[in-house]
Amino acid sequence: MSSQNEENAGVNPAHRKWREKFLKKLKLSGLLLEQKEVHQKKTRICFVLLSAPWSVLCYYAEEISLRVPLQVVNAPIINWSEHVLSQLSLGSPLSQDVPNPPPDYYTCQFRSNKLQRFLGSDDRDSFFKTTQRHQVLYEILARTQYGLAKRGEVGIDRLLTEQVFTAAYPLHEGGFELPTAPVPPESLGLRQILYTYWAQWSCYRRYQPLDHIREYFGEKIALYFAWLGFYTGWLAPASLLGTVIFLIGFWLVATDVPAMEVCNSGNNFTMCPLCNICSYWNYSSICVTYKAGLLFDNGGTVFLSVFMSLWAVTFLEYWKRSCSALTHRWDCSEFQDIEERPRPEFTAMAPMTMRNPVTGAEEPYFPENKRFNRSLTGCMVIVVMIAVVLMFLIAIILYRSILRLIINKSANSFVSGSAGRIASLSGSVLNLLVILMLSKVYTSLAHILTRWEMHRTQSKYEDMFILKVFIFQFVNFYSSPVYIAFFKGRFIGYPGNYNTLFGVRNEDCGAGGCLIELAQELLVIMVGKQLINNIQEFLVPKFRAWWQKRKLSRRPTEVKEEDGEEAQRGVKVEEEEVPPWEADYQLLVCEGLFSEYLEMVIQFGFITIFVAACPLAPLFALINNWIEIRLDAQKFVMEYRRPVVERAQDIGIWFPIMQFITHIAVLSNAFLIAFTSSFLPRLYYRYTRDSTLSGFINFTLATSPSNFSEQSQNTLCRYRGFRDEKGKHLPEFFHLLAIRLAFVIVFEHVVFFIGRLIDLMVPDVPEEVEMKMKREHYMAKEALAENQVQPK
């Protein structure tokens, strides 16, 4: 179904010619066309309603290899968590009885000459599903030529790009609102069922009706929601463990010997100034901060890091199993896209044509060497943008250092005493704003670069665009946490020999250590980003939908006065309601799944790469995803035009991206525990000095060199480090360095080994799915066989 928009001032003659030729070709292809006009305030919109008769449906169903039912599958469909609960003889509180579940069928590719062998072939009205009819119509629209094929003047996508038509979309199946009078659930339409049992907030603790979603929106969108639900379900045990470990931290705070030593030290430890104009301070003043740091830095976080590393590997393995079961049930396990057509923009901008070796047709062509050069230039732009991110990171580091100096000069003792915390927190908020600003700029830049690279097909274009944006967002979101985790406080030098950056002394970790600062940075960036995104997803579509309806409001229609009492009062009654094609035209264009996947994958990185610093990260991710599922469901059911159905076997390039993040997470957690956490120094002290950790604080503090004491009015002070009175490293420093490096090697080898073992032990395709696939192959072979022995 497509619509065209004509300005009263006139229409481009070339566009009119293309439009007329295109509609004429559609009629010749066998489609039925009906035109409806709507007069608005400034424009006249002509809707072209398309439908395909039975003969056309059969021809193209065979052409694009649509799968049709052979036999109903009677095996029950059980969710993995339902299966676990049933093994424990427990009912599932998450299940719900959704009416009109789409039946599962054994299927095979449609053949017109074997029509009688397919299930339901006697009812032509319902034999092809609505989504299959949409696929056939879109296939015809995409193939129909309206000009010269050499110039790429083919298909509805190019016409939409050239603004010959303003939109092309399948219609929603009625409204989503429920009828005012109570009706049996079985009589509800599919869109109403999705609204009632999926998109409402009251469904937050229920399984998603995935088969209904697939029936209405197609496999690609259904797979996204299946993956999001699967990911959210797997977050439950991770968030439970993280919360337990965080709560155990409160008990550790109360019983920790080093924490007691800090709080009871009084004036025993006079610490060196944290900046050039800062004053000396007592270690006991950070009692509260030190104890807060133990909530994020304790033995439990080591266990959580190992758990989350294995959790990520196992999650991806079991998603492959679930994905294979879903794609088989949805008839996509053997789906291979037909020879992809060139993108509309590619056909419009390609400088030459060349004969396609597969189809033999003349097609637009762009030389590979030129594309390679452009891709190389695109890579250089990515490097420049990454350099910009690092420049902003350095600027924020300098901002924190300078702000701390300014606050320390303040006459207000309370403010100057909190200089470090104020500088750190304001720096985190500023960093979040910079990240969100750079994300918007770079996403637009990535679109321009990927278009300029002239990729022939849409799938190649999308993959290259996703890769560009992910590389940039990876650096954009994770550079600041990586700096705090692995670089901050490492290169400060020592009293009397401090290192500087642009004349400003290098940043040291705050009084409570770097891990609590990392936890703060993660919470600000991750939770702040989620809050901003959810507010945007809730408010922006509603505002855009309101603006769209206001902009497309009708010109006042002619009405007639009713006889009787209403006529006497001068009341006018409108004769007709807004038709469905016009109501859908007022909805928003579906923007695809890119931003939804990107948001979740960035979140996946936060809860795996930096979980050692913030055990509560999985819990915040779980809460966000509960909200995200409903917000996305509402957008698709209520606010978007119905998208054209797309088939898919999996979640595409996002899966290898998550595998990459999983590998990075193992290394990151190993280095976090080894070099940022106090776990290994405590372990070393426990086994070489005192098992009760008595005296650990004094062990971790070095004494300032004599030359610094002379500069500081002969005041000896302490600082964190393993150095002697001359500033040289002690043997303990090198012992700990060897232990840390050994821990990293052992940690990553053990986790990767167990991960590989899980990969080998867990088959990608469940056994019952393999059996169903073999059964389906057998039935398809029987149904499509040319000669069958008839039973006597």
Side-chain angles (χ1 to χ4, degrees):
M1 300 77 178
S2 57
S3 62
Q4 67 193 54
N5 188 336
E6 296 185 9
E7 295 293 334
N8 291 337
V11 184
N12 186 323
H15 285 188
R16 183 190 291 277
K17 182 182 175 184
W18 281 351
R19 188 158 51 234
E20 289 174 352
K21 191 168 183 181
F22 185 73
L23 295 176
K24 185 179 178 182
K25 286 285 186 72
L26 289 179
K27 281 185 181 178
L28 291 174
S29 67
L31 294 185
L32 305 177
L33 277 65
E34 185 181 356
Q35 297 197 18
K36 304 280 186 181
E37 284 194 0
V38 174
H39 295 271
Q40 294 184 333
K41 291 177 182 177
K42 295 182 180 179
T43 58
R44 176 174 61 88
I45 298 181
C46 179
F47 291 89
V48 183
L49 309 181
L50 304 177
S51 58
W54 173 254
S55 57
V56 173
L57 285 172
C58 288
Y59 175 80
Y60 280 96
E62 191 167 344
E63 186 81 2
I64 62 176
S65 303
L66 286 185
R67 297 183 72 87
V68 289
L70 290 169
Q71 180 182 317
V72 175
V73 179
N74 294 317
I77 299 166
I78 299 177
N79 192 294
W80 65 272
S81 53
E82 275 187 296
H83 179 69
V84 172
L85 290 169
S86 65
Q87 294 293 316
L88 300 172
S89 301
L90 297 172
S92 175
L94 303 179
S95 61
Q96 61 177 336
D97 187 19
V98 184
N100 304 333
D104 185 20
Y105 296 108
Y106 289 115
T107 63
C108 73
Q109 291 183 3
F110 178 76
R111 293 287 182 271
S112 298
N113 58 346
K114 310 292 182 185
L115 181 62
Q116 297 305 317
R117 297 180 186 174
F118 298 123
L119 197 64
S121 58
D122 52 338
D123 185 357
R124 294 187 173 187
D125 293 335
S126 62
F127 180 69
F128 291 111
K129 294 185 296 185
T130 306
T131 49
Q132 289 180 322
R133 292 167 181 266
H134 293 165
Q135 283 177 273
V136 167
L137 283 168
Y138 183 75
E139 183 68 22
I140 297 170
L141 289 171
R143 288 186 183 192
T144 302
Q145 188 176 323
Y146 57 86
L148 295 174
K150 291 183 179 180
R151 295 180 188 170
E153 293 170 350
V154 178
I156 188 65
D157 290 330
R158 174 78 186 277
L159 290 170
L160 291 172
T161 304
E162 299 283 353
Q163 290 293 302
V164 177
F165 290 90
T166 57
Y169 52 89
L171 291 181
H172 277 295
E173 295 177 25
F176 62 85
E177 301 91 350
L178 297 177
T180 50
V183 295
E186 292 75 19
S187 64
L188 295 175
L190 190 50
R191 192 182 182 195
Q192 291 172 323
I193 288 173
L194 289 174
Y195 172 71
T196 308
Y197 295 90
W198 181 47
Q200 295 206 63
W201 291 105
S202 57
C203 303
Y204 75 94
R205 60 185 182 89
R206 301 292 189 183
Y207 291 127
Q208 299 180 90
L210 294 176
D211 289 314
H212 294 76
I213 298 168
R214 178 250 180 170
E215 189 80 3
Y216 195 77
F217 292 110
E219 291 79 15
K220 190 171 186 177
I221 290 172
L223 271 176
Y224 163 71
F225 283 105
W227 173 80
L228 182 54
F230 187 84
Y231 171 45
T232 305
W234 272 68
L235 279 174
S239 60
L240 179 64
L241 182 63
T243 306
V244 168
I245 286 173
F246 180 74
L247 295 175
I248 288 173
F250 284 98
W251 176 77
L252 293 174
V253 165
T255 59
D256 190 64
V257 173
M260 293 177 189
E261 286 186 355
V262 171
C263 295
N264 300 329
S265 61
N267 298 327
N268 292 342
F269 301 117
T270 302
M271 303 298 292
C272 298
L274 291 173
C275 65
N276 291 336
I277 65 165
C278 299
S279 57
Y280 293 91
W281 54 285
N282 288 322
Y283 208 34
S284 59
S285 66
I286 67 159
C287 173
V288 175
T289 311
Y290 189 89
K291 286 183 174 181
L294 288 176
L295 297 175
F296 302 97
D297 183 6
N298 55 66
T301 56
V302 179
F303 174 73
L304 183 63
S305 298
V306 177
F307 173 82
M308 286 303 294
S309 299
L310 295 176
W311 174 91
V313 173
T314 312
F315 161 70
L316 294 179
E317 285 302 315
Y318 275 88
W319 164 247
K320 282 196 286 188
R321 286 171 61 85
S322 290
C323 185
S324 66
L326 283 171
T327 52
H328 176 260
R329 192 162 94 218
W330 295 342
D331 305 320
C332 294
S333 55
E334 295 181 352
F335 166 66
Q336 294 202 348
D337 201 4
I338 55 172
E339 179 69 16
E340 253 189 295
R341 286 174 290 276
R343 290 172 53 246
E345 288 176 90
F346 176 82
T347 56
M349 298 169 66
M352 62 182 76
T353 60
M354 181 172 281
R355 187 175 297 279
N356 187 318
V358 178
T359 63
E362 283 282 328
E363 286 185 355
Y365 177 75
F366 190 80
E368 283 297 327
N369 59 334
K370 285 188 178 180
R371 182 178 292 118
F372 176 78
N373 291 337
R374 290 189 178 190
S375 298
L376 205 59
T377 307
C379 291
M380 296 306 296
V381 174
I382 295 172
V383 171
V384 170
M385 286 301 297
I386 288 173
V388 169
V389 172
L390 299 180
M391 285 167 61
F392 272 104
L393 177 62
I394 293 169
I396 289 168
I397 293 168
L398 292 173
Y399 160 83
R400 281 197 294 252
S401 301
I402 293 167
L403 185 63
R404 176 180 280 187
L405 291 173
I406 294 170
I407 294 173
N408 271 305
K409 288 183 179 179
S410 171
N412 188 321
S413 59
F414 175 77
V415 173
S416 59
S418 306
R421 283 193 291 275
I422 294 171
S424 178
L425 186 59
S426 63
S428 297
V429 173
L430 181 62
N431 187 41
L432 173 63
L433 297 176
V434 168
I435 284 170
L436 295 176
M437 178 194 71
L438 288 176
S439 297
K440 296 288 184 187
V441 171
Y442 184 75
T443 303
S444 301
L445 182 61
H447 268 298
I448 295 167
L449 282 175
T450 315
R451 272 200 296 268
W452 182 62
E453 287 170 7
M454 293 291 288
H455 296 288
R456 178 180 173 274
T457 62
Q458 186 64 25
S459 60
K460 186 69 174 174
Y461 173 89
E462 287 177 0
D463 285 352
M464 295 307 294
F465 172 69
I466 289 168
L467 206 55
K468 281 185 183 66
V469 174
F470 173 73
I471 290 169
F472 175 77
Q473 298 288 48
F474 186 86
V475 177
N476 192 22
F477 277 97
Y478 302 145
S479 57
S480 181
V482 164
Y483 162 72
I484 293 172
F486 304 119
F487 297 99
K488 188 176 182 180
R490 307 284 174 201
F491 309 104
I492 57 171
Y494 56 91
N497 187 26
Y498 285 117
N499 301 321
T500 60
L501 176 68
F502 300 117
V504 179
R505 179 174 149 184
N506 284 354
E507 264 195 314
D508 195 359
C509 290
C514 271
L515 212 63
I516 192 169
E517 288 190 39
L518 178 58
Q520 172 193 288
E521 185 81 3
L522 287 176
L523 289 174
V524 169
I525 294 177
M526 178 181 163
V527 178
K529 174 181 177 292
Q530 289 178 350
L531 280 173
I532 292 169
N533 279 351
N534 285 334
I535 290 169
Q536 283 182 332
E537 287 193 36
F538 182 73
L539 295 178
V540 172
K542 293 189 185 312
F543 173 76
R544 287 174 57 202
W546 170 80
W547 181 254
Q548 180 97 327
K549 286 181 181 178
R550 187 170 182 269
K551 187 173 66 174
L552 298 173
S553 59
R554 282 186 169 200
R555 183 185 298 172
T557 54
E558 292 183 8
V559 296
K560 66 178 183 179
E561 292 189 10
E562 295 286 327
D563 294 332
E565 203 174 316
E566 288 186 346
Q568 290 172 7
R569 293 200 308 265
V571 177
K572 294 185 177 182
V573 181
E574 196 168 336
E575 287 186 313
E576 57 181 358
E577 296 179 355
V578 177
W581 48 87
E582 189 181 347
D584 284 6
Y585 186 60
Q586 294 175 353
L587 298 176
L588 303 176
V589 177
C590 180
E591 297 171 342
L593 298 169
F594 164 74
S595 59
E596 317 297 343
Y597 271 120
L598 181 64
E599 182 185 348
M600 290 297 107
V601 168
I602 293 293
Q603 181 201 87
F604 180 77
F606 276 123
I607 67 165
T608 52
I609 295 175
F610 302 107
V611 72
C614 188
L616 292 178
L619 177 64
F620 288 119
L622 176 65
I623 294 168
N624 173 78
N625 290 7
W626 267 335
I627 297 169
E628 183 72 25
I629 289 174
R630 302 309 146 196
L631 286 175
D632 288 347
Q634 287 175 5
K635 284 192 298 187
F636 278 95
V637 173
M638 301 161 60
E639 290 155 0
Y640 282 165
R641 292 175 190 162
R642 191 175 184 179
V644 176
V645 168
E646 290 184 72
R647 302 183 74 195
Q649 272 185 306
D650 47 42
I651 60 173
I653 197 173
W654 297 109
F655 187 81
I657 284 174
M658 284 192 292
Q659 286 180 315
F660 167 76
I661 288 175
T662 301
H663 284 79
I664 294 294
V666 175
L667 297 175
S668 171
N669 283 308
F671 277 97
L672 264 176
I673 295 165
F675 288 93
T676 309
S677 167
S678 64
F679 174 74
L680 289 181
R682 283 170 175 251
L683 208 62
Y684 174 76
Y685 186 83
R686 188 186 294 276
Y687 286 101
T688 60
R689 301 286 196 282
D690 191 324
S691 61
T692 64
L693 292 179
S694 180
F696 176 74
I697 295 299
N698 187 55
F699 170 72
T700 59
L701 298 178
T703 305
S704 60
S706 55
N707 61 344
F708 181 77
S709 302
E710 290 168 7
Q711 297 169 16
S712 310
Q713 302 161 351
N714 295 324
T715 303
L716 285 174
C717 62
R718 310 295 295 275
Y719 64 98
R720 281 190 296 269
F722 297 97
R723 295 178 185 268
D724 59 21
E725 290 80 2
K726 296 180 180 179
K728 303 291 184 183
H729 286 298
L730 292 170
E732 286 82 357
F733 171 82
F734 296 103
H735 295 164
L736 269 171
L737 181 62
I739 290 169
R740 283 167 165 158
L741 292 173
F743 176 84
V744 169
I745 293 168
V746 171
F747 183 96
E748 57 96 8
H749 271 72
V750 167
V751 173
F752 281 135
F753 172 75
I754 297 174
R756 183 61 182 156
L757 208 60
I758 292 169
D759 187 15
L760 293 172
M761 291 174 62
V762 178
D764 291 350
V765 181
E767 188 178 346
E768 60 271 19
V769 174
E770 283 190 349
M771 290 299 298
K772 285 177 71 176
M773 290 170 73
K774 288 175 182 177
R775 169 71 178 159
E776 193 165 56
H777 283 151
Y778 171 77
M779 294 185 69
K781 186 178 177 181
E782 288 290 304
L784 301 181
E786 290 298 328
N787 299 310
Q788 286 189 324
V789 179
Q790 298 294 328
K792 296 182 181 179

